[in-house]
Each structure stands twice: as C-alpha cells, then as structure tokens.
Amino acid sequence: MSFSQEKERKRKKEEKKKLKEDKKKAKEKLKQNELAVREWEKKKLVMLKEQNDAKCKKIEEEKLKKEMEKQEILEKSIVAVKSWKEKKEEQEKVASEKEKEAKEKLKQ
C-alpha cells in the first residue's frame, strides 16, 4: 500500500469517526429538544389549567352574586307583601268598625 493510499484510508477513517460523533451529538441534541418541548407543553398545560380555574372561579362568583341578589329581592318582596297585607287588614278593620258605627247610628 502506498503512502497516499494509507493517507486516504486514515482520512476516510477519521471522516467516518467524525460522522459517527456528529450523529451521536445530533441524537443527544434531539433528545434534549424533545425533553424541552415536553417540559414546555407541561408548563403550558399547567398555565391553561390555572387560567381555566380562574375563569371557573369568576363564573361561580358571578353565579353566587346573582343568586344573592335574587335572594335579597325575594326577601324585600316578602317584606313588602307582608306590609301591604297588614295595611290592607288594618284598612278592612277600620272600614268594618266605621260600618258598625254607621249601622249603630242608623239604629239610633
């Protein structure tokens, strides 16, 4: 084997070795990238869940607020109806007494 053939063989061997190392580095880099993507996706999912939870909490608070407002209106309505009923009963009682008085005067 001549010197130039020996040199060429060594060069090819070195090239092959370098390609093998480059391939190994590329595989490792790919693994790291895949891990980074998975981590990012996990963080994104956590963030989306937190946003969703915050929206749900806000919706629940709004529902509770509306329910409390309805309850307050209902209570005010009940008080108003009771008051109206009491006034009506008082008016009927006064009217009944006046009617009795008028009948008494007519009898006399």
Side-chain angles (χ1 to χ4, degrees):
M1 208 186 285
S2 71
F3 178 73
S4 62
Q5 288 176 329
E6 184 67 26
K7 199 173 179 183
E8 183 64 25
R9 192 177 66 78
K10 280 187 180 180
R11 187 187 63 77
K12 284 184 179 179
K13 192 175 179 181
E14 285 295 319
E15 253 181 38
K16 193 175 179 182
K17 187 177 176 182
K18 183 162 178 16
L19 283 173
K20 198 173 182 180
E21 283 178 18
D22 288 349
K23 187 177 177 182
K24 189 176 178 180
K25 285 180 184 176
K27 269 187 172 182
E28 187 60 35
K29 183 72 173 171
L30 181 63
K31 257 188 201 178
Q32 289 175 351
N33 286 344
E34 287 172 347
L35 284 173
V37 167
R38 277 192 232 123
E39 284 299 313
W40 180 82
E41 287 173 341
K42 284 179 186 176
K43 287 179 184 177
K44 185 177 178 182
L45 285 174
V46 167
M47 183 184 72
L48 289 174
K49 184 184 180 310
E50 288 171 352
Q51 287 176 348
N52 190 36
D53 289 348
K55 285 179 184 178
C56 288
K57 185 177 179 183
K58 187 176 180 181
I59 290 170
E60 286 299 318
E61 287 173 352
E62 287 295 320
K63 283 181 182 178
L64 182 61
K65 184 178 175 184
K66 285 180 182 179
E67 191 60 38
M68 289 173 68
E69 288 172 354
K70 285 180 186 178
Q71 189 67 30
E72 189 177 317
I73 291 169
L74 182 61
E75 288 171 2
K76 286 180 180 178
S77 297
I78 290 170
V79 168
V81 167
K82 282 182 180 179
S83 175
W84 174 81
K85 194 174 181 180
E86 288 171 359
K87 285 180 184 177
K88 185 178 177 188
E89 287 174 355
E90 186 64 33
Q91 288 174 350
E92 287 175 354
K93 187 178 176 183
V94 169
S96 177
E97 287 175 6
K98 285 184 179 180
E99 192 177 320
K100 283 181 184 177
E101 288 175 7
K103 284 182 181 179
E104 286 291 321
K105 284 185 181 179
L106 285 177
K107 285 183 182 178
Q108 292 176 352

